[in-house]
Amino acid sequence: MFARANTRKHKKWEGDGFLTIHANGETELTEECGREIARSTFTSKKRAELSDGHILMVGGYEVEIQEEVDALPVSAPVQPPTPKKIPSPVAAQAAAIGRFKSAPSFKRTFATASACASPAAKRRFEDQQQPAAPAAPAATAVLSPMAKPRPFSASSLIKSASSGSAKPFCSPLVGNRQQEKVAPMVINEREVERGATPILLEGWLAAHLREHQKQGVAFLVDKLKSRGGGAILADDMGLGKSIQTIATCWTLLKRKTPKVEDGVRKVLVVVPSSLLHNWRAEFAKWFRATRTPAMLVRKVSDIGLFASAHKITPFLVVSYDMALRYAPALSSCQFDLLVCDEGHRLKNASGKLREALCSLSIPRRLLLTGTPVQNDLDEFHSLLDFVLPGNFGTPAEFRSLCREGGEEEGGGGEGDDSETSPELARLHAAIGECMLRRTSEVNVSHLPDKHEYVLFCAASKLQIKIFEAIADHVTGEPLVLIDQMRKASNHPAILYKHLQKGNADSENTRVSYSSILSMFPRDFGSRTASVKDSGKLSVLVDMLVSFREHGECTVIVSQYTKTLDMIAILCSTLQFRIYRLDGSTPVADRQKLVNDFNQSRDSTNIFLLSSKAGGVGLNLIGASRLVLFDLDWNPASDLQAMARIWRDGQPRACHIYRLVTTGTIDEKILQRQIKKTGLAAIVNVVESLNGQTDTLSFRDEDLKDIFTFKETASNTHDLLECACGGDGLLPLEREEEEEVERAERDDIDEDEIAASVVRAGGVETTTVSIDDGEDTVGEGEEEEDTAELPTEPASMAELFRWRHYAPNNDVPWQHLKAQAGLGKMGLEEVTFALHYCNNF
Ligand SMILES: [Zn+2]
């Protein structure tokens, strides 16, 4: 495709043509009909640079190369070539080495071009798709596209003349790897419409990118193309941050800039040491392993080696530890782009690591993270400030701006988003300008169905006694008590062992320890732990047995290694073969462990994973069931765990189970998660963060609430004020039924119109609306929850997208069990269940 070079904003491509390059460097640009447009002489260097998507000048014309061709199928010449411009047949016969043409597929990737082309050009464009026309007249013998291809002179760029189908050029770094024939993708389509030079993502990469990844690359290239650019890619796990990064860097590396110093020539990729090998594998996947453009730093001398070899190896991959240690050596390399994987490691604004990376003065920064804002506004500011220093003010300014927005939101009550202040709106816009975040929902169309369940498991008698004993010590250190409750809710034996070990602590704790210990049976320490002492463990046994029968592999995740120990013992008595990955698993062994598990796909295997040590990027698609035995305060950790199985390459529908002990701290964590996972959109992130700068800071009311054991089928469902009765219907489906119900109720008693019937765990509880100042009337244990009801339902509204099931509602309950792969199991301990599917 060519156009007369100009500086006009609205450039018009004038047509499609051919570029013929002779061995002596003589080059002609001709229209398809053979009419010469311009000529030039190419140096061997310029010839070597030719590749798909390359843009160059020929005479006074700007030319974009689409692909190399042999015989050129064209329609009959529109006008005969001008004789004087034809090179001598001898020269051409001896020397023609290759021709290039611009492409029909541009019609798709570069809409403006075909739209503005003349009707004649369009016709030619269409003709080009037709099979070759009969041989052209003798006059075109030399230049005619039908001319027989010559045997090519030696050139790395030229393929064999005898090969029938034209293959696109591969990047020299990719070697001769077989690539699909795909047109390059114009990254900056919008700007091109306004006259900018197209930036092209090479076809062989574009062919492998999914839609959201192409958008991601376009976003990142735009933010990083100029010096001083910065961006955060904060996609959820499993959306392909690595490939988006590689494609972005590659596009920037291949891009020709008017001034050489504005281009990107060297890229420093800093990654956690546990991911070094993942990155090496990723590069090897996209480039031939023997010619990968990335070099790993294993020792300081590698940096010097890189400095001298950067032309063929533009990427240097280094661990954070090494980057910190070898910062002075790295600073001599003059990188143009810095990529930090797991970039939230740089959240500490005064950290040494951050200081070291800043000292390299790299003019473009890209930060990758799946968890951009875990808890803290300062940390979030710190990440933004790292990629775009100074753009977001001081931490204090940033914080007050976010706070201001939050207060307005809170005061507004009904959550009217349009009422945000102009400053806050600007802040959101600025964040949106440099940060891209997509949730795993993007994967929905590419991945199998994902089912999530929350199974509320009744606390055992012993557990209830322990929770009550702990509740008596609310005055103790809250974090210690919370930890004790979490242990007890996994299994009392875990707490028991912990307390016995902790007896040497201060007197205060010893007192509380001994009163909790007194709740255990005398012989508890000497007998083996019973499955029945933990509701969750009892349910887990049913699950594992059932999944094995279904022939599906299961991953079990816990934050506690002691809990994993316990589950390991259980699994071995159930005769599972155990794979285990926790903090003590050497990094070098992890990949093999994962590979073995994935390859065998044997349902008598079980994978035990510590959510804290699991690291990132672990791919456990050999399993299609995943059990979160306990939940993390930070929903991102659990989402990461889920992404181990529900990710690219997973052929089966995935089922993910959260186990919570009913009425306990487990439910509080679940509720907190639900409120926090609404953070998908960045606007929400800032707003929701207000007042939650520390995940584990609680108001007194919260504490009292946390330590009170609630005898209910599901405290979470109670808080929703949902009147479903566990019928498993979604709100829309329920509407019709409610119509009928309402009509019936009207018939019975007008006074009860305001009352809604809540059936909870078989106990019927009636909550009456408080119109006339009367206290809530109710039976059972629910009264004390009403104090916090006004705020809870709104923030947990997410749960109305889930189906709600109560075991006493038999038909729906059986349906849920079948859906969850637990059809034959008793599940006596399950008091309530929630189910969500991305494909409801
Ligand atoms: Zn409900």
Side-chain angles (χ1 to χ4, degrees):
M1 184 157 293
F2 60 84
R4 216 166 272 121
N6 64 64
T7 53
R8 285 212 315 268
K9 271 197 166 178
H10 299 280
K11 192 188 304 263
K12 286 186 179 174
W13 290 100
E14 291 167 27
D16 296 335
F18 299 108
L19 196 65
T20 309
I21 303 164
H22 301 265
N24 61 4
E26 274 186 34
T27 303
E28 301 120 32
L29 173 65
T30 53
E31 274 188 357
E32 287 152 29
C33 59
R35 186 172 71 87
E36 184 178 304
I37 295 164
R39 63 168 52 218
S40 174
T41 306
F42 278 13
T43 61
S44 56
K45 181 170 173 284
K46 200 164 178 183
R47 264 182 284 163
E49 283 174 346
L50 291 174
S51 61
D52 293 1
H54 188 69
I55 296 175
L56 67 160
M57 295 297 295
V58 179
Y61 283 80
E62 200 167 343
V63 174
E64 179 152 343
I65 291 178
Q66 176 58 26
E67 65 181 350
E68 183 198 11
V69 289
D70 285 332
L72 306 177
V74 291
S75 53
V78 174
Q79 61 188 99
T82 318
K84 66 173 174 145
K85 286 191 178 171
I86 300 176
S88 87
V90 178
Q93 268 173 16
I97 63 157
R99 315 189 91 184
F100 302 83
K101 75 166 186 181
S102 56
S105 44
F106 245 86
K107 194 176 187 182
R108 181 176 61 79
T109 54
F110 192 5
T112 50
S114 49
C116 66
S118 68
K122 265 193 187 160
R123 206 175 322 115
R124 287 199 299 280
F125 171 88
E126 274 141 25
D127 291 344
Q128 214 173 311
Q129 325 267 350
Q130 303 302 316
T140 61
V142 176
L143 255 191
S144 159
M146 294 309 295
K148 232 180 161 185
R150 315 276 151 213
F152 293 131
S153 58
S155 162
S156 63
L157 281 172
I158 301 305
K159 63 188 170 57
S160 156
S162 60
S163 95
S165 63
K167 287 178 204 150
F169 275 124
C170 297
S171 143
L173 292 174
V174 183
N176 297 322
R177 179 178 151 164
Q178 287 286 319
Q179 303 289 352
E180 290 152 55
K181 182 175 172 180
V182 180
M185 178 192 141
V186 178
I187 296 273
N188 53 339
E189 222 165 323
R190 282 216 179 137
E191 282 139 55
V192 169
E193 282 168 19
R194 283 182 250 122
T197 313
I199 302 175
L200 295 170
L201 171 62
E202 293 186 358
W204 63 271
L205 264 172
H208 294 281
L209 295 184
R210 304 210 308 260
E211 200 47 45
H212 76 272
Q213 294 171 333
K214 289 180 187 166
Q215 289 165 7
V217 173
F219 176 89
L220 295 175
V221 166
D222 182 51
K223 303 307 165 200
L224 296 167
K225 64 183 189 238
S226 317
R227 290 174 72 85
I232 299 177
L233 179 60
D235 283 351
D236 270 354
M237 298 289 303
L239 296 191
K241 287 195 285 293
S242 319
I243 176 57
Q244 291 180 71
T245 302
I246 289 176
T248 298
C249 294
W250 191 250
T251 301
L252 291 169
L253 285 163
K254 303 302 277 181
R255 175 176 172 237
K256 298 285 180 286
T257 48
K259 282 192 229 157
V260 181
E261 59 268 29
D262 291 338
V264 171
R265 289 151 299 169
K266 291 192 222 182
V267 181
L268 178 63
V269 184
V270 192
V271 309
S273 48
S274 60
L275 292 182
L276 262 183
H277 295 282
N278 294 39
W279 276 91
R280 189 176 60 177
E282 196 75 16
F283 275 107
K285 183 170 142 194
W286 295 106
F287 303 90
R288 280 207 314 177
T290 48
R291 306 194 67 172
T292 175
M295 186 185 269
L296 258 57
V297 178
R298 293 193 181 80
K299 49 191 185 304
V300 67
S301 59
D302 291 339
I303 298 172
L305 211 60
F306 170 80
S308 58
H310 76 94
K311 273 194 179 153
I312 51 161
T313 313
F315 293 93
L316 186 67
V317 186
V318 63
S319 70
Y320 280 104
D321 306 339
M322 295 259 198
L324 181 60
R325 215 180 313 158
Y326 301 142
L330 289 170
S331 68
S332 65
C333 284
Q334 291 187 342
F335 292 96
D336 306 295
L337 170 58
L338 171 65
V339 178
C340 298
D341 191 15
E342 296 298 312
H344 46 264
R345 290 191 173 211
L346 302 170
K347 63 193 178 187
N348 179 1
S350 53
K352 272 192 178 155
L353 184 61
R354 187 185 165 108
E355 200 179 299
L357 291 176
C358 287
S359 76
L360 303 178
S361 307
I362 302 177
R364 298 172 184 80
R365 293 172 186 180
L366 168 59
L367 206 140
L368 311 178
T369 173
T371 50
V373 269
Q374 290 186 311
N375 310 312
D376 189 299
L377 275 183
D378 278 358
E379 291 174 1
F380 186 34
H381 173 266
S382 168
L383 297 186
L384 291 166
D385 192 62
F386 180 77
V387 296
L388 289 171
N391 269 28
F392 294 91
T394 65
E397 287 163 357
F398 184 75
R399 178 182 289 277
S400 77
L401 209 50
C402 297
R403 280 262 158 81
E404 178 197 325
E407 275 159 26
E408 282 188 13
E409 285 297 297
E414 300 304 310
D416 187 353
D417 288 353
S418 60
E419 293 293 316
T420 49
S421 72
E423 288 80 10
L424 191 67
R426 272 203 295 279
L427 174 70
H428 289 158
I431 293 170
E433 266 298 295
C434 75
M435 176 161 141
L436 183 65
R437 172 166 173 74
R438 277 85 51 94
T439 65
S440 48
E441 294 301 313
V442 169
N443 267 339
V444 168
S445 55
H446 305 277
L447 290 180
D449 287 354
K450 178 179 72 170
H451 295 268
E452 290 182 54
Y453 308 87
V454 181
L455 301 181
F456 297 83
C457 309
S460 68
K461 284 195 180 113
L462 177 58
Q463 280 175 317
I464 294 173
K465 276 169 81 178
I466 294 164
F467 293 135
E468 283 169 353
I470 293 173
D472 290 340
H473 295 280
V474 174
T475 47
E477 175 58 50
L479 292 185
V480 172
L481 293 176
I482 284 172
D483 186 58
Q484 292 180 354
M485 291 190 79
R486 299 194 64 189
K487 289 189 164 77
S489 98
N490 278 3
H491 196 290
I494 295 169
L495 176 63
Y496 184 83
K497 281 183 197 149
H498 173 75
L499 292 180
Q500 285 205 316
K501 244 201 303 182
N503 254 345
D505 290 357
S506 72
E507 197 170 327
N508 249 350
T509 42
R510 195 155 57 232
V511 172
S512 65
Y513 281 11
S514 63
S515 62
I516 295 168
L517 273 173
S518 68
M519 295 295 133
F520 288 85
R522 283 237 173 108
D523 62 341
F524 192 84
S526 57
R527 62 181 167 98
T528 42
S530 162
V531 169
K532 291 284 166 206
D533 281 338
S534 157
K536 292 201 288 191
L537 205 60
S538 307
V539 173
L540 183 70
V541 171
D542 277 359
M543 297 172 81
L544 296 182
V545 170
S546 188
F547 301 159
R548 179 163 58 188
E549 279 179 17
H550 281 280
E552 291 188 53
C553 296
T554 307
V555 178
I556 304 174
V557 185
S558 171
Q559 296 184 68
Y560 296 98
T561 50
K562 292 277 186 287
T563 298
L564 289 177
D565 292 345
M566 178 188 74
I567 294 173
I569 294 169
L570 175 75
C571 288
S572 64
T573 59
L574 293 171
Q575 299 185 321
F576 281 97
R577 181 159 176 240
I578 297 163
Y579 290 73
R580 175 166 174 163
L581 198 160
D582 59 28
S584 66
T585 313
V587 173
D589 295 351
R590 294 183 177 192
Q591 198 57 47
K592 186 176 182 318
L593 195 66
V594 168
N595 290 348
D596 287 352
F597 177 77
N598 285 339
Q599 275 155 24
S600 72
R601 285 187 192 255
D602 179 342
S603 66
T604 59
N605 292 339
I606 205 109
F607 201 103
L608 304 184
L609 179 67
S610 157
S611 58
K612 296 210 163 135
V616 285
L618 266 188
N619 174 342
L620 292 172
I621 55 172
S624 48
R625 311 253 165 181
L626 182 138
V627 182
L628 294 165
F629 195 76
D630 41 60
L631 305 185
D632 197 314
W633 288 106
N634 181 354
S637 306
D638 287 348
L639 291 174
Q640 276 178 8
M642 292 182 205
R644 312 264 184 250
I645 67 164
W646 194 62
R647 61 192 296 144
D648 274 352
Q650 173 61 262
R652 309 174 84 151
C654 290
H655 298 262
I656 291 150
Y657 306 81
R658 293 177 176 89
L659 298 185
V660 301
T661 305
T662 310
T664 67
I665 183 82
D666 282 3
E667 284 211 51
K668 292 296 151 196
I669 299 172
L670 173 71
Q671 290 154 20
R672 192 135 186 152
Q673 278 205 355
I674 294 160
K675 288 185 234 166
K676 282 194 109 187
T677 26
L679 303 184
I682 182 58
V683 174
N684 292 340
V685 173
V686 175
E687 286 160 5
S688 309
L689 272 169
N690 286 289
Q692 295 190 19
T693 52
D694 178 2
T695 321
L696 292 179
S697 69
F698 298 98
R699 292 170 302 166
D700 287 351
E701 309 96 90
D702 289 341
L703 274 182
K704 181 171 172 286
D705 182 46
I706 281 171
F707 290 120
T708 311
F709 173 70
K710 294 163 188 79
E711 211 166 338
T712 169
S714 163
N715 172 244
T716 307
H717 190 249
D718 297 342
L719 292 179
L720 277 177
E721 285 191 305
C722 174
C724 73
D727 56 19
L729 294 175
L730 292 173
L732 267 179
E733 296 165 339
R734 191 173 300 116
E735 256 171 29
E736 295 167 21
E737 309 230 338
E738 277 179 0
E739 283 286 296
V740 179
E741 249 179 58
R742 205 173 297 132
E744 283 172 359
R745 244 184 294 148
D746 283 352
D747 282 348
I748 298 164
D749 189 346
E750 282 184 10
D751 294 341
E752 283 183 16
I753 289 173
S756 60
V757 178
V758 178
R759 196 174 273 128
V763 183
E764 200 167 89
T765 310
T766 308
T767 315
V768 178
S769 61
I770 324 171
D771 284 338
D772 45 10
E774 275 183 28
D775 269 358
T776 302
V777 181
E779 28 175 307
E781 308 288 325
E782 271 77 23
E783 299 103 305
E784 53 195 272
D785 290 334
T786 53
E788 55 179 290
L789 281 181
T791 54
E792 297 294 341
S795 53
M796 298 211 304
E798 164 69 18
L799 282 183
F800 284 111
R801 293 167 57 202
W802 294 56
R803 294 181 184 274
H804 306 174
Y805 293 93
N808 57 347
N809 219 330
D810 192 55
V811 174
W813 186 249
Q814 295 307 328
H815 177 81
L816 167 84
K817 279 167 64 176
Q819 177 73 64
L822 296 163
K824 291 185 194 157
M825 297 295 146
L827 296 186
E828 287 87 9
E829 292 83 2
V830 180
T831 56
F832 204 83
L834 302 171
H835 173 214
Y836 175 77
C837 175
N838 59 4
N839 201 13
F840 270 163

mmCIF file of all heavy atoms in Angstrom, residues 717 722-726 734 804 832, ligand 1:
data_model
loop_
_atom_site.group_PDB
_atom_site.id
_atom_site.type_symbol
_atom_site.label_atom_id
_atom_site.label_comp_id
_atom_site.label_asym_id
_atom_site.label_seq_id
_atom_site.Cartn_x
_atom_site.Cartn_y
_atom_site.Cartn_z
ATOM 1 N N HIS A 717 -26.756 -15.468 54.570
ATOM 2 C CA HIS A 717 -28.074 -15.374 53.935
ATOM 3 C C HIS A 717 -29.024 -14.552 54.797
ATOM 4 O O HIS A 717 -29.821 -13.766 54.275
ATOM 5 C CB HIS A 717 -28.635 -16.773 53.687
ATOM 6 C CG HIS A 717 -29.865 -16.782 52.841
ATOM 7 N ND1 HIS A 717 -31.104 -17.115 53.322
ATOM 8 C CD2 HIS A 717 -30.038 -16.455 51.542
ATOM 9 C CE1 HIS A 717 -31.997 -17.011 52.344
ATOM 10 N NE2 HIS A 717 -31.375 -16.608 51.257
ATOM 11 N N CYS A 722 -33.015 -11.943 52.546
ATOM 12 C CA CYS A 722 -33.624 -12.585 51.388
ATOM 13 C C CYS A 722 -34.759 -13.476 51.871
ATOM 14 O O CYS A 722 -34.622 -14.186 52.859
ATOM 15 C CB CYS A 722 -32.574 -13.408 50.653
ATOM 16 S SG CYS A 722 -33.222 -14.381 49.309
ATOM 17 N N ALA A 723 -35.857 -13.434 51.178
ATOM 18 C CA ALA A 723 -37.029 -14.187 51.610
ATOM 19 C C ALA A 723 -37.232 -15.461 50.802
ATOM 20 O O ALA A 723 -38.338 -15.965 50.686
ATOM 21 C CB ALA A 723 -38.262 -13.306 51.506
ATOM 22 N N CYS A 724 -36.149 -15.975 50.230
ATOM 23 C CA CYS A 724 -36.322 -17.047 49.254
ATOM 24 C C CYS A 724 -36.696 -18.390 49.874
ATOM 25 O O CYS A 724 -37.349 -19.201 49.244
ATOM 26 C CB CYS A 724 -35.052 -17.215 48.439
ATOM 27 S SG CYS A 724 -33.709 -17.975 49.358
ATOM 28 N N GLY A 725 -36.242 -18.627 51.099
ATOM 29 C CA GLY A 725 -36.495 -19.945 51.666
ATOM 30 C C GLY A 725 -35.659 -21.042 51.045
ATOM 31 O O GLY A 725 -35.951 -22.220 51.198
ATOM 32 N N GLY A 726 -34.621 -20.637 50.325
ATOM 33 C CA GLY A 726 -33.708 -21.643 49.770
ATOM 34 C C GLY A 726 -34.305 -22.421 48.623
ATOM 35 O O GLY A 726 -34.132 -23.629 48.502
ATOM 36 N N ARG A 734 -37.932 -15.826 40.422
ATOM 37 C CA ARG A 734 -38.794 -15.841 41.598
ATOM 38 C C ARG A 734 -39.975 -14.895 41.444
ATOM 39 O O ARG A 734 -41.008 -15.086 42.079
ATOM 40 C CB ARG A 734 -37.978 -15.463 42.841
ATOM 41 C CG ARG A 734 -38.716 -15.695 44.143
ATOM 42 C CD ARG A 734 -37.843 -15.488 45.342
ATOM 43 N NE ARG A 734 -36.709 -16.389 45.352
ATOM 44 C CZ ARG A 734 -35.440 -16.017 45.278
ATOM 45 N NH1 ARG A 734 -35.153 -14.739 45.190
ATOM 46 N NH2 ARG A 734 -34.485 -16.907 45.291
ATOM 47 N N HIS A 804 -29.820 -19.679 45.884
ATOM 48 C CA HIS A 804 -29.788 -19.976 47.327
ATOM 49 C C HIS A 804 -30.513 -21.292 47.577
ATOM 50 O O HIS A 804 -31.623 -21.481 47.084
ATOM 51 C CB HIS A 804 -30.490 -18.865 48.115
ATOM 52 C CG HIS A 804 -29.955 -17.488 47.834
ATOM 53 N ND1 HIS A 804 -30.513 -16.350 48.344
ATOM 54 C CD2 HIS A 804 -28.905 -17.073 47.079
ATOM 55 C CE1 HIS A 804 -29.843 -15.281 47.911
ATOM 56 N NE2 HIS A 804 -28.856 -15.700 47.144
ATOM 57 N N PHE A 832 -26.737 -24.841 54.443
ATOM 58 C CA PHE A 832 -27.214 -23.921 53.408
ATOM 59 C C PHE A 832 -26.183 -23.938 52.293
ATOM 60 O O PHE A 832 -25.022 -24.306 52.518
ATOM 61 C CB PHE A 832 -27.355 -22.495 53.975
ATOM 62 C CG PHE A 832 -28.334 -21.634 53.213
ATOM 63 C CD1 PHE A 832 -29.693 -21.701 53.474
ATOM 64 C CD2 PHE A 832 -27.895 -20.756 52.221
ATOM 65 C CE1 PHE A 832 -30.606 -20.925 52.777
ATOM 66 C CE2 PHE A 832 -28.790 -19.978 51.514
ATOM 67 C CZ PHE A 832 -30.151 -20.060 51.787
HETATM 68 ZN ZN ZN B 1 -32.182 -16.349 49.435
#
